[in-house]
């Protein structure tokens, strides 16, 4: 199974799963006072398989002399707290959370507008559910708790 492994790790899902595995003691939540339903930032997550299929379609759709840019995402977002809740449920672990101040420049909500790639290349996410994204990332994390080099 392939998965995400880089240092420093800044992405939320791998950092939550590191805490679930005990690789780190906690996961930090940057900002709990956003104007969102639960106060945490909302982001548009995409399953790695959906991201890969979009890249393949884009490469297959290259036309000489033309430059196209596509946004990739599900068009919906999940809050930081929703992602943590999904990870707790899927891992069966009480993941410790430490709240921190917002990071400068972080907006309350960022979601992609993927209509262009849908219209031009016929792409759509096959695994838009948060449960699929976190569950597959959890499988990788359990198989490689310290990444590829430390498995």
């Amino acid at each position: 199974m392939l998965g995400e492994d880089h240092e420093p790790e800044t992405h939320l899902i791998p950092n939550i799963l590191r805490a679930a595995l005990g690789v780190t003691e906690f996961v930090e939540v940057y900002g709990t006072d956003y104007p969102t339903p639960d106060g945490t930032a909302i982001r548009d997550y995409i399953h790695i398989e959906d991201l890969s299929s979009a890249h393949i379609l884009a490469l297959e759709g290259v036309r000489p002399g033309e430059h196209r840019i596509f946004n990739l995402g599900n068009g919906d977002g999940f809050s930081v707290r929703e992602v943590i809740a999904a990870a707790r449920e899927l891992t069966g672990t009480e993941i410790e959370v430490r709240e921190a101040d917002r990071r400068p420049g972080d907006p309350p909500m960022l979601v992609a507008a993927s209509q262009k790639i849908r219209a031009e290349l016929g792409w759509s996410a096959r695994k838009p559910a948060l449960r699929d994204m976190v569950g597959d990332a959890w499988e990788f994390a359990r198989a490689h708790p310290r990444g590829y080099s430390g498995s």
Side-chain angles (χ1 to χ4, degrees):
M1 165 166 280
L2 299 176
E4 183 174 355
D5 176 24
H6 54 85
E7 287 294 334
E9 182 55 74
T10 58
H11 298 146
L12 180 62
I13 293 173
N15 278 329
I16 292 169
L17 298 178
R18 284 179 171 192
L21 288 166
V23 173
T24 59
E25 292 180 37
F26 59 90
V27 64
E28 250 180 334
V29 174
Y30 298 105
T32 58
D33 61 345
Y34 287 101
T36 61
D38 69 14
T40 62
I42 294 173
R43 298 292 181 265
D44 187 348
Y45 297 91
I46 184 170
H47 194 285
I48 188 65
E49 290 176 20
D50 291 329
L51 183 65
S52 299
S53 70
H55 280 87
I56 290 168
L57 277 174
L59 287 170
E60 291 171 347
V62 168
R63 298 182 204 144
E66 185 178 68
H67 179 78
R68 295 189 289 176
I69 297 171
F70 300 106
N71 286 322
L72 298 175
N74 296 310
D76 293 313
F78 301 99
S79 74
V80 172
R81 286 192 172 129
E82 288 175 309
V83 178
I84 292 168
R88 284 176 171 157
E89 179 185 337
L90 289 163
T91 66
T93 304
E94 182 54 42
I95 299 161
E96 184 178 342
V97 172
R98 293 196 186 160
E99 296 179 357
D101 292 335
R102 292 183 189 187
R103 294 178 296 193
D106 271 355
M109 183 174 183
L110 280 177
V111 296
S114 298
Q115 294 88 343
K116 182 178 176 183
I117 193 168
R118 285 185 181 104
E120 292 184 21
L121 301 179
W123 176 87
S124 64
R126 292 185 310 244
K127 290 189 168 186
L130 182 59
R131 187 173 182 80
D132 289 335
M133 289 179 254
V134 175
D136 288 351
W138 177 235
E139 282 186 44
F140 174 78
R142 285 188 303 171
H144 305 280
R146 299 194 184 280
Y148 289 111
S149 63
S151 298

